[in-house]
């Protein structure tokens, strides 16, 4: 675990004022400074028998923050995150769903902080559909009105689609992305039809059909190669940004079940949890 976070209410107010300045918020009713001022913090006393008003906040290990709806829990979380990052710390935030993830990423990104969401790939298409429905519910009924900035981390486009032949009738599904499953062309699989004869075309040699130990899940026992377009792939934008991000924003499922792309680890997929639970 990292060092405890020690701060005072005046420091939080100063951070909130910095956020307002960077975001250009001038309406007093909407400023982060005003939101922090409205929060009342009560801490359990040393005897553990009563809550007392406090102007200091110490977060060490497991820390519970409770309050009614609208009491300022999320406000305190966001301002404390900004303060911690400006002090050189790295922070992982876990929220309830993808929509809230992207909202926080947009906030911290507007503050020019290094932030990225931890998103799974298996639910990418579903999350994209949900974002379209959310924008439509907000008044943007035409898909042409759904701005690209809402889908920065939800892209389902694969650059390799442009290099596929006429046999490709539709784009690659998100789960079909061959990010680490590219193989040299096998000349044995292309058997030309004998010219000038009616002889039947020989069947290509049978390849492995079952996945055994060490095999790739593609019916092949050799090692697949990473996609040379990975560094610029829109599907992998989140994975790119996670490398240097000071703030990771996850949801419970993506944090526990998401895997670090093999092209980043160099030795196969790994877990995000080492960063999340060992944050400093």
């Amino acid at each position: 675990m990292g060092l405890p976070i020690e701060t005072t209410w005046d420091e939080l107010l100063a951070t909130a004022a910095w956020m307002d300045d960077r975001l250009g918020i001038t309406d007093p009713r909407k400023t982060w400074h005003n939101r922090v001022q409205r929060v009342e913090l009560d801490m359990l006393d040393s005897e553990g028998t009563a809550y007392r008003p406090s102007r200091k906040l110490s977060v060490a290990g497991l820390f519970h923050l409770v309050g009614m709806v609208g009491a300022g829990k999320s406000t305190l979380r966001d301002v404390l995150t900004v303060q911690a990052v400006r002090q050189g710390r790295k922070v992982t935030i876990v929220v309830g769903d993808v929509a809230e993830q992207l909202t926080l990423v947009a906030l911290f990104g507007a503050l020019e902080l290094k932030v990225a969401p931890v998103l799974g790939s298996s639910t990418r298409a579903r999350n994209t559909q949900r974002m379209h429905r959310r924008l439509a519910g907000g008044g943007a009924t035409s898909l042409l009105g759904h701005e690209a900035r809402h889908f920065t981390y939800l892209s389902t486009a694969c650059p390799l689609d442009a290099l596929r032949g006429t046999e490709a009738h539709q784009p690659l599904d998100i789960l079909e992305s061959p990010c680490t499953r590219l193989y040299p062309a096998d000349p044995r699989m292309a058997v030309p039809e004998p010219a000038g004869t009616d002889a039947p075309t020989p069947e290509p040699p049978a390849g492995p059909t079952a996945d055994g130990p060490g095999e790739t899940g593609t019916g092949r026992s050799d090692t697949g190669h990473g996609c040379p377009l990975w560094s610029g792939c829109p599907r992998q934008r989140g994975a790119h940004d996670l490398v240097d991000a000071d703030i990771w924003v996850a949801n419970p499922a993506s944090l526990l079940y998401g895997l670090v792309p093999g092209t980043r680890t160099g030795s196969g997929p790994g877990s995000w949890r080492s960063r999340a639970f060992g944050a400093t």
Side-chain angles (χ1 to χ4, degrees), residues 10 35 67 134 161 172 218 237 276:
D10 289 337
R35 291 169 63 176
R134 185 180 184 188
D161 270 328
L172 286 168
T218 62
R237 171 64 183 274

Side-chain angles (χ1 to χ4, degrees), residues 111-180:
L111 291 168
E112 299 183 2
L113 302 177
K114 295 180 180 179
V115 58
V118 179
L119 295 170
S121 59
S122 61
T123 58
R124 177 73 58 85
R126 183 175 63 192
N127 291 331
T128 301
Q129 293 170 357
R130 286 177 175 173
M131 180 59 72
H132 279 300
R133 288 196 295 268
R134 185 180 184 188
L135 294 174
T141 55
S142 171
L143 290 179
L144 297 177
H146 296 184
E147 300 180 25
R149 63 186 177 87
H150 293 106
F151 300 92
T152 301
Y153 295 101
L154 295 177
S155 176
T156 58
C158 175
L160 290 181
D161 270 328
L163 304 179
R164 299 168 70 200
T166 56
E167 77 283 354
H169 300 296
Q170 60 185 11
L172 286 168
D173 184 83
I174 188 67
L175 296 180
E176 297 173 342
S177 304
C179 306
T180 58

Side-chain angles (χ1 to χ4, degrees), residues 183-196:
Y183 304 90
D186 188 345
R188 297 177 305 166
M189 302 302 291
V191 182
E193 182 176 351

Side-chain angles (χ1 to χ4, degrees), residues 10-26:
D10 289 337
E11 291 173 340
L12 290 174
L13 287 170
T15 299
W18 178 86
M19 294 171 64
D20 291 329
D21 181 64
R22 297 300 292 265
L23 296 172
I25 302 176
T26 57

